Every structure is written in C-alpha cells, then in structure tokens.
Amino acid sequence: MDFTIPVEKSVQKDTTKRTFDLEKIRSDFPILERKVNGKQLIYLDNAATTQKPDVVIESIKHYYTFENANIHRGLHFLSELATESYETSRLKIKEFINAMSAAEIVFLRGATEAINLVAHSMCRGNFFDDGDEIIISEMEHHANIVPWQMLCERRNVKLKVVPIDDNGDLIFEEFEKLLNPKTKLVSITHTSNSLGTVNPIKEIIDLAHKNGVPVLVDGAQAVQHGKIDVQELDCDFFVFSGHKLYGPTGTGILYGKADLLNKMPPYQGGGDMIREVTFEKTTFNDIPNKFEAGTPNIAGSIGLGVAVKYLNSFDINDIISHEVNLLNYATKKLLEIDGLKIIGTAKNKSAVISFVVDGVHPYDIGTMLDTQGIAIRTGHHCTQPIMRRYNLPATARISFGIYNTIQEVDYLIEALNKILKMIR
Ligand code: PLP
C-alpha cells in the first residue's frame, strides 16, 4: 500500500501556554516520587537522558492497548489508526522545529543513528572526492566524530577539527581558517554535552554557506533548552534524540532539507523504503520513507510527538529562565567549595556543569552521591577528546531539566560538602 504523508494537514497548534508551576511540573513525572537508597531521588543526569512525563508514558500504553498494528501497510482499521498517529507525530515534530515539510523529518533511533545515516548516505552517494575535507570541532560527542572517521577511511577524505579555548569556547577564527574549497561539510554541535558551551550556530552556518558548504547541526543538547527554527537557522541537517527531550528512548530525528535528502541514496534497504522491487532492480520510495526501512519504533515515535507537545505546552522563555537560574545558582554554590573547579566556562552556556575536585576522583563523587539518592554523571561523557584537551581522565557532571529545583541544588551541595569532608 502506498502511503503519502498528510502534509496539507496541520496539527492543532496550542497557543495557550501553561503557567510554569514547578510543583505541578514535578507531579507530571512519576519517577521523581521514587526513593533511591532510601532517599528522595534527585535526578541531575538530564544530558544523558531525561525523565518522562506521564502523558508520554500513557501514550505508549494507549498505543499498545488500542492501536497496535504495523503502519503504511494494511488497509485494516488498526493499521490506518497506527499510521495516522505515527504521521501526526511527524507533523508535530515538523512544527516543533519549523521544518518546511513533514517529508523533511525522518524518524530514527537517536542523534547517533541520524549522523550515521547522513555519513553513510553521503559516502554511498559520492558526495566526496579524494582529498575533500569535513570540519567538526574539538567539543563533539563521539557520535559526531566516529561516523565521519569511518567515512574518511572509506573515501580518502580528511577530518579537520576546530579547536576550543580554555573556557570551552570554539575558536571562531580557527574555524574561518579551516574553511577552504576542499571543505565539503561542516558537522558541529549546537551545545556541548560536557562543557555546556552553546556555539554561535547561526554565525557558523552563515559563514559555511558563504563558502558554499552545507552544515549538519547536532542538536541533541539544544532542542530541549530553547527554540529551534531550522528555517531561520538555515541548517542543512539538524539531528536530535527524543529521549533527551522527555520522549521515549530509541527515538530520534533527522531533519534534512528536502533537496538534499532527495539527492541522497537510502541508508538501509528493506520494507517500506521501496517503490518497486524486482530481482534486477529496486526503485525507492520518496522521502522520508526512503530512509525508514523496516518497521520503525512506532510507539516510541508517537510518544515523541506527545513529548514535543508537552514541552510546547510551556512558554519556552519560562523554561529558559528557569534553567538559567539553576545554572547560575549551582555554579555560584559549587565554586564556594574548596578545591572545586568547573570545566567549561564559556560565555554562553547551557544547563550543564562539569567539575573536578582536587585530590578526589570523579567516580568517588558520583558513587557517594548515589548513596544519597543523587544521580549525576561521571566519566568522559562520550567526549574523550575534550578530556584530553583538559588533561583529565573524567569529570563529574550535573545537568538540569525542566523539573529540577533550587532546593535540589542545595541538597547536592550539602551532600557534596559532607562527602568531601569524609574523603579528605
Ligand atoms: N550528540 C550529543 C551532543 C549528545 O550529547 C549525545 C548524547 O549524549 C549524542 C549526540 C548521541 O545521542 P544518542 O545517544 O541519543 O544517539
């Protein structure tokens, strides 16, 4: 059965916004009520994954209870219902990032799969000549390094890396210097998951475009913290993970400009991505189906649409000011701790704080905070080049979400002080 996305149809836009009532918001997230090691959970690992509001959890239960069927394939009632829900979710995401068309939204497993898709497809599609270059930055997550390295190995293409300064800011002049006629792609993070640095993404895109170079933006740490408008940014690709914006795990999005996606060959072959198959030749479906081979994560993608609607129910400025408050307050309090150093002090930062404490291994901090019910991240955060840049084996990292409170920061600081006193 041929299925066309109902692009003409628009999802109902919510113009009325919820008041930013933190108590009410917290009650939307059932897991926040649980105890860990006998203590009230304090979840400060939101850059790794966010917790899920009950509307998202319920939407998944609802799908499996009332709608479960395979999509795009059956004429029967349930299949049409599931298809409708899945495609409506695509429309919600199109509106969330203001894509021109729903065909530019590809449902995938996460930001990692989205970057791999672009790398594989551009590689197969001969987008690169011998000696071409791809620019990334020193602050990339491994997901935006390794797929390009793999491409470079196959295509005799070189990876060029924009350095960062000691604060964790991208050195823009170095980026300017790296751009040259051999540059075929810039793939860069909007916001660093380890340092919190928010890059001047619009300037990066504009400069790359002036040089005729397309840009992929890794938005995995950006979409949940501010407004993203892909048309305004004019990025060529934008990728993000659903589970970092209060949606289900195993979901993510590749946005790509239609003319580029149309030129790119499929990433994987199988059902749903074809138009006609014979043993001699296969012709492919239109975008986005061309890039969605096999049965997708239907329930997850529907849940992601619900998560986006949940996030959209707030005024984004309320979310931004809440998270900036948390960031500023926690930064100030952490710096009062003797021997504590924050790694990543960029001018423009997101709600992520990496830190180290003199003479104490980050793993010990993480493990001991866990005994107090406080979840933080320790390690290299899938950014080993950043650790090397600062000559560190690891950092401790706290990262905030919509539901975190100043009181939780106070508990964290109190627990940290106790732990450090014990260790020292
Ligand atoms: N890019 C950035 C900046 C990230 O922080 C992450 C995950 O932490 C990823 C990419 C990869 O996301 P995922 O593991 O959901 O595919």
Side-chain angles (χ1 to χ4, degrees):
M1 178 194 176
D2 236 11
F3 183 83
T4 356
I5 300 163
V7 257
E8 301 308 323
K9 200 187 97 174
S10 193
V11 281
Q12 202 185 345
K13 277 191 184 158
D14 292 322
T15 41
T16 48
K17 297 289 180 190
R18 268 176 73 173
T19 31
F20 198 87
D21 177 344
L22 204 45
E23 215 172 298
K24 174 72 189 63
I25 290 169
R26 288 183 67 80
S27 73
D28 293 340
F29 292 81
I31 205 169
L32 297 179
E33 280 172 27
R34 72 158 292 167
K35 292 202 165 26
V36 169
N37 292 322
K39 307 272 177 112
Q40 189 61 46
L41 167 69
I42 295 182
Y43 188 76
L44 297 172
D45 193 17
N46 293 285
T49 198
T50 50
Q51 299 302 343
K52 320 303 169 200
D54 47 17
V55 281
V56 169
I57 299 167
E58 282 305 316
S59 72
I60 291 166
K61 185 171 173 212
H62 177 90
Y63 169 76
Y64 283 122
T65 311
F66 298 108
E67 298 183 354
N68 180 48
N70 214 327
I71 54 166
H72 299 166
R73 291 168 197 197
L75 273 173
H76 61 81
F77 175 81
L78 283 183
S79 177
E80 287 191 358
L81 196 59
T83 304
E84 173 80 14
S85 297
Y86 182 78
E87 294 303 337
T88 301
S89 183
R90 197 190 305 274
L91 286 168
K92 284 182 192 159
I93 287 148
K94 172 223 162 209
E95 294 194 353
F96 178 56
I97 58 169
N98 194 30
M100 186 101 79
S101 129
E104 297 176 318
I105 305 295
V106 183
F107 279 121
L108 295 165
R109 268 195 305 124
T112 303
E113 190 177 31
I115 298 171
N116 275 280
L117 186 158
V118 177
H120 271 78
S121 176
M122 287 186 124
C123 182
R124 278 194 59 231
N126 292 328
F127 278 67
F128 299 95
D129 296 318
D130 266 7
D132 277 348
E133 294 176 0
I134 297 170
I135 297 181
I136 60 169
S137 84
E138 203 177 4
M139 70 174 89
E140 300 307 321
H141 185 281
H142 296 164
N144 198 25
I145 303 174
V146 187
W148 304 117
Q149 276 175 337
M150 290 160 72
L151 183 152
C152 288
E153 277 168 19
R154 286 194 301 263
R155 282 276 155 192
N156 191 22
V157 171
K158 289 195 180 65
L159 203 55
K160 296 284 165 179
V161 183
V162 186
I164 56 174
D165 64 19
D166 289 344
N167 296 325
D169 274 314
L170 191 89
I171 307 178
F172 202 85
E173 306 78 65
E174 295 297 326
F175 170 55
E176 242 171 325
K177 277 192 223 157
L178 282 177
L179 276 166
N180 74 79
K182 284 192 245 153
T183 313
K184 277 288 160 71
L185 182 75
V186 172
S187 187
I188 197 136
T189 195
H190 185 299
T191 301
S192 158
N193 64 309
S194 309
L195 304 170
T197 309
V198 179
N199 278 322
I201 206 71
K202 181 67 184 145
E203 281 100 306
I204 291 171
I205 294 165
D206 287 350
L207 186 63
H209 283 179
K210 257 190 213 147
N211 289 269
V213 180
V215 180
L216 182 151
V217 177
D218 176 356
Q221 298 292 342
V223 272
Q224 61 282 53
H225 299 300
K227 177 74 197 136
I228 294 295
D229 182 328
V230 289
Q231 290 190 66
E232 200 179 300
L233 282 177
D234 197 26
C235 51
D236 302 275
F237 301 103
F238 189 94
V239 307
F240 62 95
S241 300
H243 67 97
K244 293 183 197 285
L245 65 96
Y246 313 103
T249 52
T251 63
I253 297 296
L254 164 67
Y255 156 81
K257 282 183 181 166
D259 57 341
L260 265 169
L261 292 180
N262 279 325
K263 282 185 205 141
M264 288 162 54
Y267 165 52
Q268 294 178 329
D272 231 24
M273 50 76 75
I274 55 94
R275 189 163 296 289
E276 196 176 355
V277 179
T278 66
F279 285 114
E280 288 70 42
K281 187 177 167 54
T282 293
T283 51
F284 302 118
N285 210 334
D286 293 333
I287 58 165
N289 307 60
K290 183 172 82 173
F291 294 111
E292 292 181 7
T295 303
N297 182 353
I298 305 168
S301 302
I302 292 170
L304 177 54
V306 174
V308 158
K309 189 169 176 219
Y310 177 80
L311 204 58
N312 256 340
S313 68
F314 299 97
D315 182 336
I316 190 67
N317 294 315
D318 288 341
I319 297 179
I320 294 170
S321 67
H322 174 62
E323 292 180 352
V324 166
N325 272 344
L326 288 168
L327 174 71
N328 291 343
Y329 183 75
T331 302
K332 180 174 163 285
K333 288 285 174 187
L334 283 168
L335 288 175
E336 286 168 9
I337 295 176
D338 197 27
L340 186 146
K341 185 172 174 216
I342 290 179
I343 309 297
T345 49
K347 287 185 281 293
N348 195 2
K349 263 191 82 167
S350 178
V352 168
I353 310 176
S354 267
F355 63 91
V356 288
V357 183
D358 281 349
V360 187
H361 198 284
Y363 287 114
D364 293 334
I365 296 177
T367 312
M368 290 176 88
L369 283 175
D370 186 52
T371 64
Q372 303 303 303
I374 303 174
I376 69 156
R377 191 74 154 191
T378 56
H380 53 65
H381 319 296
C382 295
T383 55
Q384 286 182 354
I386 293 185
M387 298 301 127
R388 223 161 279 129
R389 166 71 177 75
Y390 289 94
N391 200 20
L392 293 166
T395 70
R397 180 188 75 183
I398 58 173
S399 50
F400 297 112
I402 191 170
Y403 35 65
N404 289 122
T405 66
I406 291 284
Q407 199 182 29
E408 286 180 318
V409 176
D410 286 334
Y411 284 135
L412 166 79
I413 301 292
E414 197 183 311
L416 251 179
N417 275 321
K418 265 193 216 149
I419 288 165
L420 295 176
K421 206 168 159 189
M422 255 164 59
I423 296 177
R424 280 161 174 170

